[in-house]
């Protein structure tokens, strides 16, 4: 990733209901864009204060275009409204990335479950699974058929492998029935609203082997109660800087105040921009990215939300 980001421009724009699909190109020059793999996202730097993450949903690998799809959320924090209202063909935007916290791991069979705009990271995953010759199925739900971006393209291209279930026609996805029919070695990849992810997590815990489910969240899991947070100390291995982290502040905030140049974006543990290697000390993980195995390894942390476990010190690879 280029530290300052890429200077890009909107090359094409189309609407699908409340979703706008944007193709982004370099503003100048013909150099190919950095390669990426299914599950990757980019950061749109919409203003100094507003940086938002969107999944890449076009063709993977090296190319000249990055495609994203953005749902307009009137009750959101303002990023999607800014994209819809301000990014037109010819408009410039700074882009950081790509970064992948949701990689597609090798498997003989997959079930992809999408809810609404959660289809975006799954589109290139489906293409990758198809190219690998894997057995796969897509279960795609949304409020209405009209709201389900890429539904027609996917159904036309992959036919019976794609099962479209708009809620106004079929009701909520019957996850118990869907998971009950899966082979034991099936990998499940799910992206969508929190209620869907929570439901899939619950059903998967009952019906599938541990490690079968892989999810990506747009919003953080329920925040950890902070009343009992304790102060601790961080030491940066490369600079030797030592800093105290008060109970009411994050590692990220403290390092910024100390002049340490650390990239960040969401500040809520969902994007992975601030992921930092841990060289010593135990972490109280509070992000919505790492799985249980990765947390147990204790090799990295999201310094915007995670803390030291107890009052012990942390040594970071900075």
């Amino acid at each position: 990733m280029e530290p300052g980001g890429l200077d890009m421009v909107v090359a094409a724009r189309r609407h699908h209901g409340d979703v706008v699909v944007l193709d982004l190109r370099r503003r100048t020059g013909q150099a190919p864009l950095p390669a990426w793999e299914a599950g990757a996202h980019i950061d749109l730097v919409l203003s100094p204060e507003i940086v938002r993450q969107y999944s890449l949903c076009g063709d993977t690998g090296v190319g000249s275009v990055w495609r994203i799809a953005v749902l307009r959320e009137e009750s959101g924090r303002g990023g999607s409204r800014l994209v819809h209202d301000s990014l037109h063909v010819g408009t410039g935007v700074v882009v950081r990335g790509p970064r992948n916290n949701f990689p597609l791991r090798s498997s003989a069979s997959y079930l992809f479950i999408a809810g609404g705009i959660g289809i975006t990271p799954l589109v290139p995953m489906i293409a990758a699974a198809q190219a690998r010759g894997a057995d796969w199925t897509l279960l795609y739900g949304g409020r209405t058929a009209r709201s389900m971006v890429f539904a027609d393209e996917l159904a036309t291209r992959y036919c019976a492998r794609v099962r479209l279930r708009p809620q106004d026609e079929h009701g909520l996805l019957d996850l118990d029935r869907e998971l009950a029919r899966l082979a034991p070695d099936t990998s499940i990849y799910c992206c969508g609203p929190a209620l869907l992810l929570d439901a899939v997590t619950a059903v998967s815990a009952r019906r599938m082997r541990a490690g079968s489910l892989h999810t990506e969240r747009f919003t953080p899991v329920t925040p950890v109660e902070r009343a009992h947070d304790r102060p601790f100390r961080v030491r940066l291995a490369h600079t030797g800087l030592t800093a105290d982290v008060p109970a009411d502040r994050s590692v990220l905030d403290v390092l910024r105040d100390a002049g340490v140049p650390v990239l960040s974006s969401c500040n809520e543990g969902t994007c992975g921009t601030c992921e930092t290697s841990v060289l010593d000390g135990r972490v109280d993980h509070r992000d919505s990215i790492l799985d249980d195995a990765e947390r147990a390894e204790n090799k990295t942390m999201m310094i915007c939300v995670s803390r030291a476990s107890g009052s012990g010190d942390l040594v970071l690879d900075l």
Side-chain angles (χ1 to χ4, degrees):
M1 182 182 73
E2 300 182 22
L6 297 172
D7 186 15
M8 303 191 74
V9 65
V10 179
R13 170 182 168 122
R14 66 182 173 91
H15 276 276
H16 185 108
D18 292 334
V19 176
V20 64
V21 181
L22 302 178
D23 286 352
L24 306 174
R25 294 182 181 271
R26 289 184 184 270
R27 185 189 289 272
T28 59
Q30 301 298 318
L33 294 169
W36 59 281
E37 296 182 349
H41 69 264
I42 56 175
D43 298 341
L44 291 192
V45 184
L46 301 170
S47 76
E49 298 78 25
I50 302 178
V51 181
R52 296 292 184 268
Q53 298 75 45
Y54 298 106
S55 297
L56 290 168
C57 52
D59 294 329
T60 59
V62 176
S64 61
V65 173
W66 281 344
R67 174 169 294 172
I68 60 173
V70 181
L71 171 68
R72 187 182 186 100
E73 297 183 271
E74 296 296 347
S75 60
R77 296 179 295 162
S80 67
R81 296 194 300 275
L82 195 55
V83 170
H84 277 248
D85 295 341
S86 302
L87 295 190
H88 304 284
V89 173
T91 302
V93 63
V94 174
V95 179
R96 298 198 307 236
R99 186 179 304 105
N100 200 339
N101 303 313
F102 192 39
L104 182 69
R105 297 186 172 96
S106 179
S107 180
S109 60
Y110 301 94
L111 172 63
F112 299 105
I113 305 176
I117 197 63
I119 189 63
T120 51
L122 302 186
V123 171
M125 286 188 177
I126 289 167
Q130 181 77 4
R132 295 174 186 178
D135 183 24
W136 65 269
T137 301
L138 169 65
L139 182 64
Y140 183 8
R143 296 187 309 276
T144 66
R146 184 174 180 274
S147 72
M148 297 165 63
V149 66
F150 303 129
D152 291 341
E153 296 98 312
L154 290 167
T156 299
R157 183 174 181 179
Y158 299 115
C159 303
R161 289 185 182 270
V162 174
R163 288 188 280 131
L164 306 178
R165 295 293 185 270
Q167 187 175 339
D168 61 341
E169 299 176 25
H170 298 273
L172 296 175
L173 299 178
D174 190 342
L175 298 173
D176 260 310
R177 184 180 67 180
E178 296 294 341
L179 270 63
R181 66 174 70 176
L182 296 181
D185 60 349
T186 301
S187 293
I188 304 170
Y189 283 78
C190 180
C191 186
L195 287 176
L196 172 63
L197 293 173
D198 291 344
V200 172
T201 299
V203 175
S204 177
R206 294 197 306 269
R207 294 197 172 275
M208 304 298 294
R209 59 177 172 80
S212 298
L213 177 63
H214 310 273
T215 63
E216 182 169 62
R217 290 181 177 267
F218 299 136
T219 56
V221 295
T222 303
V224 175
E225 174 57 50
R226 303 195 61 173
H228 302 294
D229 282 352
R230 299 177 181 179
F232 60 96
R233 180 171 294 177
V234 293
R235 181 166 63 85
L236 308 190
H238 295 287
T239 66
L241 175 71
T242 298
D244 293 318
V245 182
D248 60 348
R249 304 198 70 204
S250 70
V251 176
L252 177 63
D253 289 338
V254 169
L255 294 185
R256 278 177 168 169
D257 287 352
V260 180
V262 181
L263 284 177
S264 65
S265 182
C266 71
N267 295 320
E268 57 185 16
T270 59
C271 75
T273 305
C274 70
E275 184 171 10
T276 302
S277 295
V278 178
L279 301 180
D280 193 28
R282 299 300 303 177
V283 179
D284 177 7
H285 293 285
R286 302 182 178 187
D287 64 274
S288 302
I289 298 172
L290 301 178
D291 60 27
D292 290 343
E294 291 168 328
R295 293 182 176 197
E297 288 178 349
N298 200 66
K299 292 182 178 180
T300 68
M301 67 181 291
M302 310 304 156
I303 60 174
C304 64
V305 292
S306 296
R307 304 179 64 79
S309 181
S311 57
D313 293 353
L314 292 176
V315 179
L316 303 181
D317 189 17
L318 289 172

